[in-house]
Amino acid sequence: MGQGALLARRLVEGGVRFVTVAKGWLNYDTHGDNFNIMKKVLLPEFDRAFAALLQDLHQRGMLESTLVIAMGEFGAPPKVNGECGPRSSQ
């Protein structure tokens, strides 16, 4: 994630007008242990990379002219099933 953010900054610095940084869908498929994996692995990694990207753009004077969006996709029902986290009946 950090390498992707660094590459994104370099591309924007080089004049590229649209850049997407993605983790990859398989790494976010956390059906079995969702809450623990998100809390301990995926969110800290995202937080560090996203914060570093924003700070890097700011330090280089590029943040005011760059739109940065963090978004995701959730293609499942909003109710967490019994196999996904601390409320599990396992």
Side-chain angles (χ1 to χ4, degrees):
M1 197 71 179
Q3 289 179 345
L6 176 60
L7 178 58
R9 192 266 298 155
R10 289 178 177 168
L11 289 169
V12 170
E13 198 170 38
V16 175
R17 295 175 54 94
F18 185 88
V19 180
T20 300
V21 177
K23 170 86 170 147
W25 69 274
L26 287 175
N27 293 322
Y28 275 93
D29 191 6
T30 61
H31 293 288
D33 194 18
N34 182 61
F35 294 105
N36 287 319
I37 292 171
M38 292 297 286
K39 181 179 180 181
K40 295 176 183 175
V41 179
L42 298 176
L43 293 178
E45 179 184 34
F46 171 80
D47 287 346
R48 285 189 303 270
F50 193 69
L53 174 62
L54 294 177
Q55 184 176 29
D56 198 11
L57 290 171
H58 174 70
Q59 289 174 347
R60 295 168 186 275
M62 300 166 57
L63 188 57
E64 288 186 16
S65 61
T66 305
L67 175 63
V68 181
I69 300 172
M71 58 187 268
E73 167 282 320
F74 194 72
K79 183 176 180 184
V80 175
N81 69 40
E83 298 178 8
C84 285
R87 290 172 269 176
S88 175
S89 59
Q90 297 175 354

